[in-house]
Amino acid sequence: MVKLTISPSLRFVSPTGESYPDWLSLPLAALGEWGRSGDLSKEDISQSGNPCLLYGELYTRYNDYATPLLDFSLTSQKEGLRVSSADDVVIPKSGETRDQIATALAVLKDGVAYGGDLIVLRTNVLAEPSYIAHQIKYGRVKKKVQSRGQGETVVHLSERHLGDIEVPLPSRPGQQKIGCF
């Protein structure tokens, strides 16, 4: 469902000084396609090879973007290997707390091999991955993601838990500016 939302009073303007259009509200499922992560593990890490991203690195190595990539894998032909598109948002499938699962990372490079236990949203032209990751990690969407977690000792998420969460959506140039903060 597309609906207009209240646009913030403090807004970016275009390089020509014009205001960007009002914001929309769209569900996460309308902003891309869900994908599966791969099955790389710590044992697959090497000093060279294809760049890769493992589950634990969402919490320990990267803040908002998976760049520069610090781990590599020589298992480019591994069965079940899944690789990134430059417009992916990665969300953990599980964590110890609801706060821990409400994190996300923008992957801005093609060909990054994914480890397991990750949800991948391959964004479409409506969504800037850095903005979507920012909204999940810090914005209005964070509490909604936390509320969708299932379980107590280990909290789990799936694509079906996330798909109908509404995201406040400025224009694409506005998303790019916010996503860079």
Side-chain angles (χ1 to χ4, degrees):
M1 168 196 268
V2 177
K3 56 186 173 186
L4 289 177
T5 62
I6 299 170
S7 296
S9 57
L10 179 62
R11 298 180 60 188
F12 291 111
V13 294
S14 72
T16 61
E18 297 173 33
S19 292
Y20 289 120
D22 285 337
W23 291 28
L24 300 174
S25 181
L26 293 172
L28 273 171
L31 303 179
E33 293 184 23
W34 298 111
R36 293 182 343 142
S37 61
D39 59 359
L40 289 178
S41 67
K42 288 182 183 178
E43 291 77 36
D44 297 315
I45 301 298
S46 66
Q47 296 297 317
S48 62
N50 296 341
C52 65
L53 178 68
L54 301 179
Y55 163 83
E57 294 173 327
L58 267 70
Y59 307 107
T60 59
R61 286 207 162 160
Y62 303 107
N63 193 14
D64 295 326
Y65 312 100
T67 182
L69 288 149
L70 302 173
D71 283 335
F72 299 92
S73 172
L74 292 173
T75 58
S76 61
Q77 303 303 316
K78 185 173 182 174
E79 188 176 326
L81 186 70
R82 302 281 188 233
V83 296
S84 71
S85 169
D87 294 321
D88 287 354
V89 175
V90 179
I91 306 162
K93 280 188 176 182
S94 62
E96 294 178 4
T97 66
R98 292 182 187 283
D99 189 52
Q100 206 176 46
I101 60 168
T103 192
L105 188 68
V107 179
L108 306 175
K109 179 178 176 149
D110 288 327
V112 176
Y114 289 132
D117 212 24
L118 300 171
I119 297 170
V120 178
L121 176 64
R122 189 148 292 163
T123 60
N124 59 29
V125 297
L126 297 173
E128 173 66 30
S130 57
Y131 172 80
I132 301 303
H134 188 272
Q135 286 298 303
I136 292 169
K137 196 168 186 174
Y138 307 111
R140 296 177 182 175
V141 177
K142 182 177 182 79
K143 288 193 184 308
K144 294 175 186 174
V145 171
Q146 290 172 327
S147 73
R148 302 296 174 93
Q150 304 291 306
E152 295 301 320
T153 306
V154 177
V155 183
H156 298 277
L157 278 177
S158 73
E159 297 86 341
R160 76 173 196 279
H161 297 134
L162 301 173
D164 65 344
I165 293 176
E166 296 278 327
V167 178
L169 208 62
S171 66
R172 185 76 188 239
Q175 290 178 52
Q176 291 166 340
K177 287 180 180 282
I178 293 169
C180 290
F181 269 40

